[in-house]
Amino acid sequence: MNIFMIKFSDLQSINKRYAEELKRAANEVIDSGWYLFGDRVRQFEDSLAAYTGVSYALGVGNGLDALRLILLAYIEKGEFNKGDEVIVPANTYIATILSIFHAGLVPVLVEPSLSSYNLDFKQIEPKITPKTKAIVLVHLYGRVCWDHQMKELVQRFGLKLIEDNAQAFGAEWEGVKTGALGDAAAFSFFPTKNLGALGDAGAITTNDRELASMVRMLSNYGSSEKYQNKVKGFNSRMDEIQAAFLQVKLRYVDKENQWRRQLASCYLDNILHENIILPKIDHVLDNKSHVWHLFVIRSSQRDLLKQFLSSKGVQTQIHYPVPPHLQEACPEFSGLSFPVTEQIHREVLSLPLDPGLSVEDIREVCAIINGF
C-alpha cells in the first residue's frame, strides 16, 4: 500500500498555522454584531491600497464581480459603450472572459506566448479596431504580464489597461506591484489563491477616484445613500469576517510568496526529464515578477504523466483542460482557432506548490518525475 502522499493544495494545513489569529478575528466580528459595511472591511481596503501602492481599494464579493464591476463602471462613466471590444488573452480561466460578456462588451481573444503562457504582446496591435476600448492583462499562474511597450501602446490608442490579478498577488515589475500597473485591477481571494480568504471575496484597486466611486455604487445596488439608487447596480460586497481573515493573512503573504519562489527554484533545478518542459524563468529567487501561484510544466504525454504521478501519491491538477473558445458556454467563438492556446491546454500540468510543503517534499516529487 502506497502511503506517500503529496497533496496538490492542503488548505487545512495552510490555514492551521494562523488558526488562533483567525479564530480571534472571527470572534471579534461575531461579538461586534456588525457583519457588513464595518470597520474590518475599511481596514482591509486601506491595507490593500497601501500594500499595492494605489489610492483606492474596494472589497467586493469575488474576483469575477471585480472584473465585471470595473467594466460596468467604465460604461456608466460613459467611457465604454455596450458592444465595444476588449482585448483579452485566449489562454485564461473563463471568468476573465465571462466578465466581458456580462458587461455587454465583446471579448477579442489574442494568443499567448508559448514561453510565458501570458499574452503575446506582439499580437495585440493587429487586433485593435476603432471599437477597442481596453486590454485585460492576466498575470497567469502568478507571473507578471507586462513590458515597457504596454504603456506606450495603450496611450497611443487611448485604451484602458485592466489587470486580472487573481493569481499574482504580491508580484512586482521594477518595484511596482501588480494591481498598480494599469488603470484598474481585479483581485480574487478564493481560498487557494496566494492571499486566500476562507470563502469567496474579491477586490478592485485603482487611482481613479471617479471609477472607485462608481464601483462602490454599482456593488451596492447602485446606491451611495440608503434608498437612493443612482444607477442599476447589484449586490457584491465583501463581508466583515472575510475582511478580518484577509487582514490576518496579508501580514504573511510576502513571506509565503518568497517560500513559493524557493520551492519553484527547487523544481527548476531538479526536474531533469527530457520530455518535461519547465517554466522559462531566470533568477527565480531574486525575481519578484513571479509569485508562483502555480508551478506549471508541459508534456506531450501529459495525461500519462498525471496518471503516473497519481499512482505514486503525487496529486496534480490541469489548469485548464478546455480553453474558453472551445467551451459550450461561448458559441460566439465557434469556428475560431487558437493553436498555441490549444497546445497549452493539451500539455500543461500543475505540480504541487503549497507553502506548507518542504524542499524535501519537492525533491521527492522531482525524483518521481525523473523516473517517468
Side-chain angles (χ1 to χ4, degrees):
M1 181 178 177
N2 182 18
I3 60 173
F4 177 79
M5 173 62 71
I6 297 289
K7 292 183 178 180
F8 181 78
S9 181
D10 189 349
L11 290 176
Q12 187 176 23
S13 174
I14 290 171
N15 289 315
K16 186 176 181 179
R17 72 194 74 182
Y18 315 126
E20 293 308 312
E21 290 180 80
L22 294 170
K23 289 173 184 177
R24 281 198 301 273
N27 287 336
E28 289 170 2
V29 173
I30 293 167
D31 291 344
S32 75
W34 198 283
Y35 310 122
L36 289 167
F37 306 115
D39 290 339
R40 276 78 180 179
V41 171
R42 285 193 292 270
Q43 289 167 6
F44 177 69
E45 289 175 338
D46 289 345
S47 296
L48 178 60
Y51 178 89
T52 308
V54 298
S55 300
Y56 306 99
L58 303 95
V60 297
N62 54 68
L64 172 58
D65 280 357
L67 278 170
R68 177 171 54 166
L69 282 162
I70 291 169
L71 297 168
L72 288 171
Y74 280 125
I75 291 172
E76 291 292 343
K77 290 178 66 192
E79 297 187 53
F80 297 177
N81 294 303
K82 299 282 186 177
D84 282 341
E85 296 174 352
V86 177
I87 288 174
V88 63
N91 182 41
T92 184
Y93 183 55
I94 196 171
T96 314
I97 291 165
L98 290 178
S99 70
I100 299 169
F101 280 129
H102 289 172
L105 300 167
V106 178
V108 176
L109 307 186
V110 173
E111 285 272 52
S113 161
L114 195 55
S115 63
S116 71
Y117 310 132
N118 274 331
L119 195 60
D120 185 342
F121 299 123
K122 298 189 296 296
Q123 298 198 42
I124 295 175
E125 189 166 344
K127 295 293 185 82
I128 296 174
T129 76
K131 292 184 72 66
T132 305
K133 291 296 168 63
I135 300 172
V136 174
L137 295 178
V138 181
H139 305 303
L140 197 65
Y141 308 149
R143 178 176 183 164
V144 177
C145 179
W146 187 256
D147 75 0
H148 293 294
Q149 300 173 19
M150 282 305 304
K151 185 158 282 189
E152 183 276 329
L153 182 70
V154 295
Q155 289 175 346
R156 179 154 47 96
F157 287 94
L159 306 178
K160 296 296 183 185
L161 189 60
I162 300 166
E163 299 172 73
D164 180 338
N165 196 35
Q167 298 188 5
F169 192 96
E172 297 181 12
W173 181 270
E174 296 184 353
V176 179
K177 287 278 200 308
T178 53
L181 290 166
D183 295 286
F187 293 72
S188 167
F189 302 120
F190 188 75
T192 59
K193 296 296 193 286
N194 290 39
L195 179 63
L198 274 68
D200 265 328
I204 292 160
T205 55
T206 185
N207 288 311
D208 185 333
R209 181 179 61 82
E210 290 184 6
L211 182 74
S213 178
M214 184 58 70
V215 164
R216 186 76 79 188
M217 278 197 292
L218 283 167
S219 66
N220 185 39
Y221 303 106
S223 173
S224 57
E225 181 181 350
K226 196 170 184 178
Y227 302 129
Q228 302 296 317
N229 303 87
K230 295 183 178 180
V231 295
K232 294 181 178 69
F234 53 98
N235 177 359
S236 181
R237 302 178 299 221
M238 181 183 289
D239 63 63
E240 287 286 283
I241 207 158
Q242 296 303 334
F245 291 152
L246 289 166
Q247 186 75 8
V248 170
K249 297 182 74 175
L250 180 61
R251 295 195 285 269
Y252 302 101
V253 71
D254 285 342
K255 181 179 178 180
E256 288 197 351
N257 281 345
Q258 187 57 28
W259 186 240
R260 287 175 180 271
R261 294 185 182 104
Q262 188 85 23
L263 297 180
S265 180
C266 186
Y267 271 135
L268 292 171
D269 289 343
N270 290 281
I271 294 177
L272 305 174
H273 198 291
E274 62 182 4
N275 291 326
I276 303 295
I277 300 171
L278 296 172
K280 292 179 172 60
I281 295 290
D282 295 325
H283 310 300
V284 174
L285 292 179
D286 300 320
N287 186 357
K288 294 185 178 181
S289 68
H290 205 322
V291 292
W292 298 100
H293 172 60
L294 298 171
F295 189 92
V296 179
I297 61 174
R298 284 180 28 236
S299 173
S300 60
Q301 297 177 299
R302 188 268 308 280
D303 294 338
L304 287 175
L305 175 60
K306 181 174 175 59
Q307 293 171 14
F308 174 78
L309 290 172
S310 178
S311 73
K312 300 295 185 181
V314 179
Q315 292 182 349
T316 60
Q317 289 193 20
I318 300 171
H319 296 87
Y320 303 95
V322 182
H325 72 279
L326 296 180
Q327 295 283 359
E328 185 178 351
C330 300
E332 296 87 348
F333 303 137
S334 178
L336 297 182
S337 175
F338 296 94
V340 177
T341 295
E342 292 162 21
Q343 179 182 354
I344 289 170
H345 286 249
R346 284 194 308 271
E347 296 181 348
V348 289
L349 186 67
S350 299
L351 302 180
L353 202 162
D354 179 319
L357 295 175
S358 67
V359 169
E360 289 71 25
D361 292 328
I362 301 302
R363 288 182 184 276
E364 181 66 25
V365 174
C366 293
I368 292 170
I369 290 172
N370 290 338
F372 171 60

